[in-house]
Amino acid sequence: MSYIEEVRASVNARDAGQPEFLQAVDEVLSTIRPVVESDDAYRRNAVLERITEPDRQIIFRVPWMDDKGVMRVNRGFRVQFNNAIGPYKGGLRLHPSVNLSIIKFLGFEQIFKNSLTGLPIGGGKGGSDFDPKGKSDNEIRSFCQSFMTELARHIGADTDVPAGDIGVGAREIGFMYGQYKRLKNVYEGVLTGKGLTYGGSLARTEATGYGLVYIVENMLEAAGDSVNGKTIAISGSGNVAIYAAQKATSLGAKVVTMSDSSGWIYDPKGIDLDVVRDIKEVKRGRIKEYADRVKSAEYHVTDPDKNTPKVWSVKCDIALPCATQNELDENDAKLLIKNKVTAVGEGANMPSTTAAIEAFQKAGVLFMPAKAANAGGVAVSALEMSQNSQRLAWTFNEVDERLKGIMKGIFDKTAEAAAKYAKPGDYVSGANIAGFLKVAAAMIAQGV
Ligand code: NDP
């Protein structure tokens, strides 16, 4: 059995029952073969065994009190996966679906993504099965303070620096940061995505969505095309989706769909982002309200049990899945291909199933995987850490220009690794290989 097969079998046996984690490991292992098999040093140094096993996994109880005075208990997680190239870095997700498998898949992906940015950050991820939907500010604060009371002992500006993810935006980061400071009595950049009045970076809010569009533009340019004039289907209506839509629109594209977990909107005239931002960022409402307010829009309910159509049923040139994992399956891919989609960029983490990716690649659709495509968020988080350490604040344009440069660097590294080790344009292999090479070299240099 080859080294890769041995490790794959061992991870499958040890982590059976963690489907999302196994899916992420499988995708990486199946693409890094040309590199791993070219040098026995990887096996001698147990690089694959070590890179698939987190440094540590912390699971803890999070008790908090709701507005009726009832005590509630959730489960908190922080997986510190790999710090070969820098302090652990990765977001915190608050969603009822959160479990160890999901946090481990996200932490594993983060190792390679962070490496691709070229910045000194390791991989980690955390969160809780707490559902922020429908909770008052008071309940959110109570949860966040309790969550940080335990998390604080495991993190630090040079150890592990969490950020936001699904369900964690500026409000939640603010409550967690306040609690960390109270407990530790230090003012340090222990979280990123902070508010601008207390150490946050300009352009961090926009970074993931903008970065996604920058790298899709790089990918299209390499194929002699551009975002300008294209019709785009986006899923999600959260942080990544909103700023991807904003940047794509400013580059001359027309975004015609957005969604949340209840349903999706189709606006053939192009989505009015002021309305979406008012619904989502100000009123914390549902995307359905868009169709109540904008005459040209249709609303479609999503019923996961009835296999109702998704945003991917709409005709578009570019698809940007920006909601959650496995939201775009093989049937969706086939529908998009039938409707002549030319490019896909993953804003969310692992939004396309393995079969969907294969379908896109087989049909010659340009495909930029999440590790490269959504790395802009963590890259600007790393820039926030630099600003905090320097006790300086850079301008929006300065950060945005650096983000553009970082995304171009990621595209170039990904394209070069694809051409060298797999085949030109295979950005899935390229991103995995380019991310792996740096981390593996650092792991070997530092000894087992
Ligand atoms: P938000 O919480 O801001 O938005 C998430 C959006 O996706 C919401 O519209 C939400 O709808 C929808 N969604 C979430 N879960 C589901 C589900 N199970 N089914 C259908 N829709 C769902 O999160 P972000 O925009 O920050 O994150 C979106 C994705 O991007 C995630 O995969 C995240 O890991 C990834 N990402 C985020 C980064 C960031 O900087 N924020 C960085 C890199 C990756 P609803 O409100 O109904 O739940």
Side-chain angles (χ1 to χ4, degrees):
M1 210 192 276
S2 74
Y3 177 38
I4 288 194
E5 294 318 323
E6 270 172 39
V7 173
R8 195 198 297 256
S10 146
V11 176
N12 273 298
R14 292 171 92 187
D15 295 323
Q18 297 184 359
E20 294 85 359
F21 176 59
L22 295 179
Q23 183 183 341
V25 169
D26 252 11
E27 191 222 271
V28 170
L29 292 186
S30 61
T31 50
I32 59 176
R33 187 181 300 276
V35 171
V36 171
E37 290 184 349
S38 70
D39 188 345
D40 193 51
Y42 294 114
R43 184 199 279 269
R44 275 187 280 111
N45 287 279
V47 169
L48 297 186
E49 293 88 331
R50 290 194 285 146
I51 212 166
T52 52
E53 182 68 19
D55 288 349
R56 86 191 45 79
Q57 313 176 43
I58 303 149
I59 304 185
F60 51 99
R61 171 174 10 100
V62 189
W64 56 279
M65 191 183 280
D66 72 15
D67 286 347
K68 296 191 182 107
V70 177
M71 285 307 300
R72 307 272 207 106
V73 178
N74 284 96
R75 185 171 286 175
F77 299 88
R78 186 71 186 166
V79 171
Q80 297 178 333
F81 223 115
N82 186 300
N83 66 353
I85 63 168
Y88 307 106
K89 180 100 200 78
L92 297 170
R93 175 176 293 191
L94 299 184
H95 193 273
S97 64
V98 163
N99 57 33
L100 187 59
S101 171
I102 289 181
I103 298 299
K104 279 180 68 183
F105 118 64
L106 290 163
F108 182 71
E109 294 275 297
Q110 201 82 43
I111 303 171
F112 306 95
K113 180 188 311 191
N114 292 3
S115 164
L116 276 176
T117 65
L119 300 167
I121 37 179
K125 199 80 187 191
S128 171
D129 57 2
F130 172 80
D131 186 359
K133 254 187 234 124
K135 302 287 190 302
S136 68
D137 282 354
N138 193 42
E139 290 173 328
I140 298 282
R141 189 177 58 240
S142 169
F143 172 84
C144 288
Q145 290 181 340
S146 179
F147 182 80
M148 183 51 86
T149 302
E150 174 59 31
L151 187 66
R153 71 183 77 227
H154 307 289
I155 61 176
D158 295 315
T159 309
D160 182 357
V161 183
D165 190 75
I166 291 179
V168 177
R171 174 181 60 168
E172 293 74 19
I173 292 288
F175 292 149
M176 289 187 200
Y177 189 70
Q179 182 70 352
Y180 181 86
K181 204 171 47 115
R182 243 169 251 131
L183 291 166
K184 296 278 185 162
N185 197 27
V186 281
Y187 206 102
E188 61 175 6
V190 69
L191 293 169
T192 57
K194 298 185 293 298
L196 295 176
T197 51
Y198 61 95
S201 173
L202 285 162
R204 172 61 188 92
T205 306
E206 294 82 355
T208 310
Y210 278 22
L212 168 65
V213 175
Y214 291 149
I215 202 165
V216 167
E217 183 75 331
N218 295 147
M219 174 169 75
L220 287 168
E221 260 168 25
D225 205 345
S226 87
V227 166
N228 186 19
K230 299 291 186 297
T231 298
I232 303 190
I234 291 186
S235 64
S237 50
N239 173 267
V240 179
I242 287 175
Y243 293 97
Q246 189 183 73
K247 181 51 71 180
T249 307
S250 79
L251 292 181
K254 184 163 76 166
V255 175
V256 292
T257 67
M258 289 184 98
S259 67
D260 57 26
S261 52
S262 314
W264 54 279
I265 50 166
Y266 170 58
D267 187 345
K269 288 202 167 151
I271 299 230
D272 182 339
L273 276 173
D274 289 341
V275 177
V276 175
R277 291 183 64 187
D278 183 55
I279 294 167
K280 288 289 170 182
E281 296 182 340
V282 182
K283 306 207 166 84
R284 296 183 187 275
R286 308 304 295 158
I287 202 70
K288 177 181 187 303
E289 293 158 38
Y290 183 92
D292 300 337
R293 283 165 64 170
V294 179
K295 290 276 165 295
S296 51
E298 299 165 6
Y299 177 71
H300 301 262
V301 176
T302 299
D303 183 343
D305 298 330
K306 290 206 180 122
N307 210 8
T308 40
K310 308 182 198 163
V311 295
W312 316 125
S313 59
V314 165
K315 187 166 169 45
C316 63
D317 305 304
I318 300 174
L320 302 177
C322 296
T324 193
Q325 64 272 359
N326 293 327
E327 54 162 312
L328 195 164
D329 62 21
E330 189 180 8
N331 288 336
D332 301 322
K334 285 184 175 155
L335 204 50
L336 284 164
I337 292 164
K338 198 173 125 217
N339 282 330
K340 306 245 175 328
V341 73
T342 54
V344 177
E346 295 189 315
N349 282 310
M350 207 168 73
S352 319
T353 62
T354 309
I357 297 173
E358 280 167 14
F360 286 133
Q361 289 184 323
K362 209 166 138 215
V365 173
L366 298 171
F367 182 85
M368 189 53 70
K371 280 186 205 78
N374 69 27
V378 75
V380 172
S381 274
L383 300 182
E384 183 174 330
M385 289 164 72
S386 303
Q387 293 170 76
N388 292 163
S389 300
Q390 293 179 304
R391 305 214 186 277
L392 288 175
W394 304 337
T395 63
F396 188 99
N397 279 345
E398 204 173 341
V399 179
D400 191 31
E401 282 306 312
R402 284 179 194 252
L403 170 64
K404 248 184 235 166
I406 290 169
M407 297 314 294
K408 179 70 170 67
I410 294 173
F411 176 74
D412 290 345
K413 267 182 250 176
T414 299
E416 274 163 31
K420 183 164 174 196
Y421 296 103
K423 66 172 195 266
D426 176 359
Y427 301 125
V428 175
S429 298
N432 287 339
I433 291 170
F436 173 78
L437 283 170
K438 179 178 173 186
V439 177
M443 288 171 72
I444 292 172
Q446 291 171 34
V448 181

